[in-house]
């Protein structure tokens, strides 16, 4: 595993890392049962620490100053964990205890807390290992506010560890996302759950819970959705079986 010393030796790719990150942590974690019968999925441990702690390690490494975390399932336990562990950045809880808003609705509910600048958005149920440089910093370097409303960190389907899906996106030679996977076919790239979004994308939303797909489709149609291929490792830690596979892979590093 990467040590603090080697982190300090990594080249800085430049760019301005968003000060604020939205951490998606409100899901029910059904695929992770029975482990989620007594704890929310972000508190399920992988390689000796809860999934959400791995995410916060990456946020700290990149220099993020503020985290907005949405909560719903077993929210009290998750909020208590965060307030006990996160003291080095501002923590804002976006409370979805009354109704789970899904990913798009979660962004809408947290919209005011996210501010008016581009922000990082990270799922709390994945684990990634940086390549030669910090993945969040590389995203920040690639962000172009004039051309982009969404910049997604993608991984080739062939390198998506423990992922059982068939891919998510197609991109062109320049990195622009050209479309989603069509039914019955494969797509070459998988969304890692890490992205930079412009707050201007959060507009004209449907009522109630809905997926971020609504915003992505809008950005793709406008030619303002882009992808960046991750140069490190990524693990889809969505099931108990995937935990074992991930831990086995990490011990071999």
């Amino acid at each position: 595993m990467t040590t603090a010393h080697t982190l300090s030796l990594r080249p800085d790719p430049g760019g301005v890392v968003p000060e604020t990150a939205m951490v998606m942590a409100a899901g029910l974690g059904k695929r992770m049962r029975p482990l989620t019968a007594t704890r929310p999925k972000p508190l399920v441990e992988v390689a000796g620490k809860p999934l959400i702690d791995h995410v916060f390690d990456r946020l700290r490494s990149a220099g993020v100053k503020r985290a907005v975390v949405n909560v719903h399932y077993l929210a009290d336990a998750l909020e208590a964990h965060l307030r006990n562990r996160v003291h080095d950045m501002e923590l804002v809880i976006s409370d979805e205890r009354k109704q789970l808003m899904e990913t798009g609705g979660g962004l809408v509910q947290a919209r005011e807390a996210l501010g008016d600048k581009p922000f990082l958005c990270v799922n709390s149920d994945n684990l990634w290992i940086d390549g030669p440089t910090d993945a969040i910093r590389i995203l920040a370097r690639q962000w172009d506010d004039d051309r982009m409303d969404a910049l997604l960190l993608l991984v080739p389907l062939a390198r998506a560890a423990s992922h059982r899906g068939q891919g998510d996106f197609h991109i062109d030679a320049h990195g622009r996302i050209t479309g989603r996977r069509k039914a019955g076919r494969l797509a070459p790239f998988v969304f890692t759950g890490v992205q930079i979004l412009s707050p201007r994308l959060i507009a004209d939303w449907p009522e109630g819970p809905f997926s971020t797909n609504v915003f992505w489709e809008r950005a793709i149609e406008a030619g303002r959705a882009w992808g960046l291929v991750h140069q490190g490792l990524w693990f889809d830690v969505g099931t108990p079986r995937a935990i074992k596979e991930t831990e086995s892979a990490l011990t071999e590093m």
Side-chain angles (χ1 to χ4, degrees):
M1 297 295 288
T2 305
T3 67
H5 177 65
T6 56
L7 279 174
S8 67
L9 298 179
R10 271 194 200 141
D12 184 346
V16 179
V17 174
E19 291 186 357
T20 297
M22 174 81 188
V23 180
M24 295 291 186
L28 299 175
K30 292 181 179 179
R31 292 191 303 136
M32 193 63 87
R33 291 176 177 169
L35 299 180
T36 49
T38 56
R39 78 196 92 173
K41 186 176 180 181
L43 295 187
V44 171
E45 290 196 0
V46 179
K49 69 173 67 175
L51 280 166
I52 200 164
D53 287 3
H54 287 286
V55 169
F56 270 87
D57 285 348
R58 297 291 177 262
L59 299 183
R60 291 185 185 96
S61 176
V64 173
K65 306 298 184 186
R66 186 168 178 270
V68 180
V69 186
N70 65 342
V71 298
H72 172 74
Y73 177 63
L74 298 178
D76 290 350
L78 181 54
E79 183 173 355
H81 176 85
L82 291 170
R83 295 202 182 280
N84 184 54
R85 296 293 296 273
V86 180
H87 303 295
D88 51 354
M89 66 179 72
E90 182 183 352
L91 178 66
V92 179
I93 299 297
S94 182
D95 194 339
E96 297 181 21
R97 285 174 172 85
K98 292 183 179 179
Q99 183 178 19
L100 179 61
M101 298 302 295
E102 298 186 26
T103 52
L107 288 171
V108 169
Q109 182 152 319
R111 173 66 184 83
E112 184 175 346
L114 293 171
D116 297 323
K117 297 179 180 180
F119 61 92
L120 187 68
C121 185
V122 184
N123 292 351
S124 63
D125 61 351
N126 61 53
L127 191 155
W128 74 95
I129 304 298
D130 290 325
T133 54
D134 185 295
I136 293 176
R137 290 182 180 273
I138 296 175
L139 273 179
R141 181 190 65 188
Q142 293 295 114
W143 177 260
D144 183 341
D145 202 58
D146 291 334
R147 293 187 300 153
M148 300 175 181
D149 287 333
L151 176 60
L152 282 59
L153 187 67
L154 306 175
V155 67
L157 178 60
R159 290 201 289 108
S162 300
H163 186 67
R164 309 292 183 227
Q166 298 175 310
D168 300 311
F169 294 103
H170 298 267
I171 61 175
D172 66 17
H174 304 288
R176 192 190 303 267
I177 296 177
T178 57
R180 305 291 299 272
R181 182 184 67 83
K182 291 181 171 55
R185 299 186 180 182
L186 299 177
F189 295 100
V190 175
F191 175 51
T192 64
V194 184
Q195 59 187 324
I196 294 178
L197 298 174
S198 168
R200 64 175 163 261
L201 191 61
I202 308 175
D204 303 320
W205 54 79
E207 292 294 325
F210 68 96
S211 169
T212 309
N213 288 335
V214 171
F215 295 140
W216 282 344
E217 294 291 352
R218 187 180 300 163
I220 292 171
E221 185 176 348
R224 296 184 61 83
W226 295 73
L228 176 69
V229 179
H230 181 43
Q231 298 303 312
L233 301 177
W234 177 79
F235 301 90
D236 183 354
V237 193
T239 64
R241 174 182 174 183
I243 292 176
K244 296 179 181 180
E245 293 173 350
T246 300
E247 290 178 335
S248 177
L250 291 174
T251 58
E252 296 175 0
M253 290 181 61

